[in-house]
Amino acid sequence: MIKTQLHDDVLEVVIDNPPVNALGARVRQGLWAAIADAQTDTAVKAIVIRGAGKLLSGGADITEFGKTTAEPGLPELVDAIEASAKPVVAAIHGIALGGGLEVALGCHYRIATANTKLGLPEVTLGLLPGAGGTQRLPRVIGVEAALDMIVSGSPISGKRAADIGLVDRLAEEGTLLAEAISFARALDAPRRTGDVSVSADPAIFEAFAAQNARKIAGLDAPSACIKAVRAASELPIGQGLEKERALFAELVAGTQSKALRHVFFAERAAAKIDGMPKDIAMRSIDKVGVIGAGTMGGGISMNFLSAGIPVTIVEMAQEALDRGVSTIRKNYEATAAKGRLTADQVEKAMSLLTPSLAFDALADCDLVIEAVYENMDVKKDIFARLDGTAKPGAMLASNTSYLSVDEIATATKRPQDVLGLHFFSPANIMKLVEVVRGAETAPEVLATGMDLARRIGKAPVVSGVCYGFIGNRMLTPRLDGAIEMLVEGATPDQVDQVSVALGMPMGPLQMIDLAGVDIGWHRDPTRIESVRDALNAAGRWGQKTGGGFYDYDEKRRPSASAAAQAIVEQFRTEAGIAPREITDEEIVARTLYAIVNEGAKILEEGIAQRASDIDVVWLNGYGWPRHTGGPMFWAEQVGLEKVVDTLNRYRDRLGPGFSLSPLLAQCAAQGGSLFGDAGA
Ligand code: T1G
C-alpha cells in the first residue's frame, strides 16, 4: 500500500494500491505514518510523494462513501501533509484526480509530467472536493480558474497546470522522481498553501452561477461547490475547511450523490460479461463494413472512422451512396466548425472511408454491420448474401432495433458469428450500444463486440434477444400508456411534463414525434385502429412532417396542436369514450412505473445481466437524468412497495396486456432489491 525509500536525505513515499491508487483507509494510514515518522527522523530533510504504476491517484475510495471511514480521514491526512515541518513535494504522473490532486495540493510543491491529467471530478459524483480542494485550489490558481475546474469537474493537462501555477515545474516521466528528489533537497522550508489568502469580488460567484444556470439547474453539488469556493475567498483556511466539510457531509448523504455514485459503478459493471473468461481471445477488427449509407449507416461508420478504423460502406444505388458519404463529410465539417476537429482530422477520417456499390467489397472486412430497412425479410436476404461473401471468421452484426437476431442468424451457416450491435440515433453521438447476444453467438464474438464498442467510445450493454431488447422494449408500455391517456382525456403536454419534471429531456409523445409517429405504421390510411393510425392517416408523422402529437415551428420547437387534438377527440368520440380528469400520479404509474415493471421482467428473463445495466441503457440511450441513477435505481428510491401499490391501484387502467413483474412484486413484498443482495 505505502512504500518508502530514503534517497540520502530525501524520503520517497510511494502510494501503491492498484488499480488506481485509491486513497482507502490503509493507504491513508500508511501515508499518515510515513509523514509522521519523517518529522522525527533526523536523516530525512525532505519528502517526495508519488504513485506507483500509471498514476498518482484516482482519488478517495468511492466505495467507502456512505460508510464509517477509518481514521485518518482524507481531510486530516492532507492537513498533516501541509503541516509537515519538512518540505513535501508531489511527483505527479498519469492521473491526479479528486483526493489525489488534493493530496498534491497539501504538498508544498508539485512537479508533473506534461500529459498528466489533473482534476477535481467530485461534482460528477454529486460531491465537492472534500479534502481541502475547494480551499487550496483557489489559493493556488485563483478563484475564477478554481471555480471552472471544480464546478465543471473537467481535468487539465500537466502542461496547462504549469501554465496556471498549479504545478511548479514539468518533468519527463523517466526523470520525474530524480528531479523531484533534487528539487526537494534544494528546498529550505515548506510553502504552505493555507498560509496564503485569496480574495474575490462576490459578484464573481453570482455571475458564474448565472452563466452556468442551465447546466447546474436542479443539481445539488455545483451550487455547493460555488459556496465552498466563495468561503475560500471570505474565510481563513481553518474556517473554510470546516465550511467545506459541512457542505460535503450534506452532499454525500444526499440522494443525488448516491445516484451518481451508483452510475459510476453501473457504467463500469456494464462492461463485464458474467461468466466470460477474463483471458478470452478476441477476434481482431481492423476493417469494418457497413451496409446502408442512410442516417444510421452513416452515423455508425463515423464511430469507426473517428477511431481510425477503415470502413467500407455499401449501398445499392449511387445516389444514395453519394448522399450518405456527403452527409458523413458534412457532419465532420460541422464538428470542425465548432473547433472540436481540425481539417486534417476530417480529411484523415474521410480517407478511411471506401464507398462501394459492390456487395463483395465487404469480402475482406473483419466485421460487417447491416443498417438497412427494419424488415426481417430484407435483413435475412442480406445475411444470406453476407454468408456467401464475408470471409471466414468475420463477425456479422445487425443494427436492428427490435427484430430477432436469432432469426436473422438462421439465414447464415455461421450463427456463431452473428450478433446485434444496436446503435442509437444519432449513432455518431449517442453513447449507448446494445450488444445483442444470439442464442448461438460465440463467446468471443460477444466479447469482441463489447470491447470494440468501448474502443469507439461507446457505453455498451449486453442484451439478450427479445422484441426491442432492453431500451425499446421498455419504451413500448410507456408510449402505449401515454397514447391511451390522450384518448381518455389527457393532453400531450400534461403527459410529457411528468417525464420532463423528472429531468428527462422530453416525454414519450415528443419523443415519438422525433423518432416518427409512422414507425411501424401499416401505411393504409383507411385502416384506423388507433390514434397513431389516425394521425398517420392525416399525414401527422411527427417532426419530419411538421407535426405529430405537437405542431413544430421552423426551429422544431413544439406547441400544442389543435389539429392533433381534433383527431384525438374524434377518435375518442368514435370509440365512445367520455374524457375524464387524469392525475399526474396516474401518468407516473402508466408511463414511469410501467417502465420499471418492464425492466423487472427483462431482468427476471435474463435479457439484461443486471438491474444496473438497465439503468445504463436509459442513462446513455434515452437521456434519463444521471442524478436520479436510472429507472431501476430511481424506483428503489421511490420505494418498490409504493411502485407496486400504485401499479395495482391503476391495474384496470393499465389495460389487459399488463402484468405485474413477479420479481418486482416479490422485492416489494419482502423489502428486497432489484440489485440483488448488495442492493443498489
Ligand atoms: N474509488 C474506488 N474505485 C475506483 C475509483 C475510486 N476513486 N476509481 C476507479 N475505481 C475502480 C473502478 O470502479 C474499476 O473497478 C477500476 O477501479 C478501474 O477503473 C475526498 C470525495 C481513475 C480515470 O472521480 O475517473 O476523491 O470495475 O475502469 O478507465 O475530495 O477510474 O475494475 O472493479 O475507470 O483506467 C474522485 C474516478 C473520487 C475518479 C481510471 N475521483 N475514477 O480510469 O479505469 S471522490 C474520481 C476515474 C474524491 C475527495 C473526493 C477512473 C480513472 P473494477 P476504470 P480507467
Side-chain angles (χ1 to χ4, degrees), residues 462-674:
V462 175
S463 175
V465 174
C466 69
Y467 188 69
F469 311 123
I470 297 172
N472 285 350
R473 171 171 160 181
M474 292 165 76
L475 278 184
T476 302
R478 179 177 85 146
L479 182 60
D480 291 351
I483 294 175
E484 281 152 18
M485 284 186 280
L486 294 190
V487 177
E488 294 163 24
T491 63
D493 192 55
Q494 186 191 359
V495 172
D496 280 351
Q497 275 314 308
V498 165
S499 292
V500 171
L502 185 76
M504 298 286 281
M506 58 180 75
L509 297 165
Q510 236 186 298
M511 188 167 168
I512 194 65
D513 270 357
L514 175 65
V517 181
D518 62 322
I519 286 182
W521 180 43
H522 46 65
R523 309 269 155 198
D524 175 358
T526 62
R527 203 172 115 204
I528 309 283
E529 291 156 355
S530 68
V531 165
R532 265 181 90 168
D533 283 351
L535 286 168
N536 283 322
R540 297 190 65 84
W541 296 356
Q543 283 195 22
K544 58 184 152 185
T545 57
F549 288 97
Y550 297 89
D551 288 338
Y552 294 88
D553 66 16
E554 68 293 339
K555 289 198 169 64
R556 296 192 162 218
R557 285 178 301 218
S559 58
S561 165
Q565 191 56 26
I567 289 170
V568 170
E569 284 168 6
Q570 182 187 347
F571 185 86
R572 179 190 299 149
T573 308
E574 284 166 8
I577 294 170
R580 65 181 174 87
E581 190 63 34
I582 309 265
T583 63
D584 282 358
E585 182 192 58
E586 181 171 351
I587 295 171
V588 168
R590 296 173 66 179
T591 57
L592 295 173
Y593 293 169
I595 288 177
V596 173
N597 185 60
E598 199 63 32
K601 290 182 180 177
I602 285 168
L603 192 55
E604 59 198 338
E605 292 168 22
I607 297 293
Q609 296 186 96
R610 50 187 84 87
S612 58
D613 280 8
I614 296 171
D615 285 339
V616 171
V617 164
W618 275 81
L619 293 164
N620 290 313
Y622 303 91
W624 188 284
R626 294 172 72 87
H627 65 275
T628 61
M632 312 311 271
F633 183 90
W634 169 76
E636 299 223 340
Q637 305 312 305
V638 166
L640 298 184
E641 212 172 334
K642 178 178 177 185
V643 171
V644 168
D645 168 58
T646 309
L647 286 169
N648 283 332
R649 277 191 290 114
Y650 289 97
R651 184 66 193 69
D652 297 346
R653 301 289 184 192
L654 286 157
F658 175 84
S659 64
L660 189 61
S661 149
L663 173 65
L664 184 60
Q666 181 194 356
C667 286
Q670 297 170 1
S673 168
L674 294 165

Side-chain angles (χ1 to χ4, degrees), residues 86-217:
K86 301 180 179 179
V88 186
V89 174
I92 309 169
H93 76 296
I95 283 167
L97 291 178
L101 179 54
E102 290 175 297
V103 163
L105 281 166
C107 295
H108 304 128
Y109 292 87
R110 287 160 290 280
I111 299 182
T113 61
N115 61 1
T116 298
K117 257 174 56 171
L118 301 100
L120 294 172
E122 287 86 342
V123 72
T124 64
L125 296 170
L127 299 169
L128 54 74
T134 66
Q135 305 305 305
R136 291 191 174 93
L137 190 64
R139 285 175 163 83
V140 174
I141 64 174
V143 161
E144 288 173 289
L147 273 174
D148 271 339
M149 274 187 78
I150 292 169
V151 177
S152 72
S154 304
I156 60 173
S157 70
K159 166 92 181 59
R160 174 77 183 132
D163 293 345
I164 63 174
L166 176 52
V167 157
D168 297 290
R169 71 165 54 183
L170 294 175
E172 292 304 317
E173 185 148 354
T175 57
L176 174 65
L177 177 59
E179 290 201 38
I181 288 170
S182 58
F183 181 85
R185 180 170 293 122
L187 293 171
D188 297 330
R191 177 191 65 178
R192 296 190 181 90
T193 305
D195 294 345
V196 172
S197 65
V198 63
S199 61
D201 175 353
I204 287 178
F205 302 99
E206 276 87 25
F208 185 87
Q211 279 152 19
N212 293 278
R214 211 169 45 79
K215 249 190 320 187
I216 67 179

Side-chain angles (χ1 to χ4, degrees), residues 15-70:
I15 303 170
D16 189 0
N17 183 24
V20 297
N21 292 339
L23 301 165
R26 288 182 56 206
V27 169
R28 297 195 304 272
Q29 288 154 2
L31 269 175
W32 179 277
I35 297 293
D37 295 349
Q39 303 306 305
T40 52
D41 183 340
T42 52
V44 174
K45 176 178 186 294
I47 301 157
V48 168
I49 296 178
R50 71 178 183 88
K54 296 184 297 185
L55 75 167
L56 173 64
S57 168
D61 183 340
I62 306 172
T63 62
E64 283 185 355
F65 296 139
K67 301 167 191 158
T68 46
T69 47

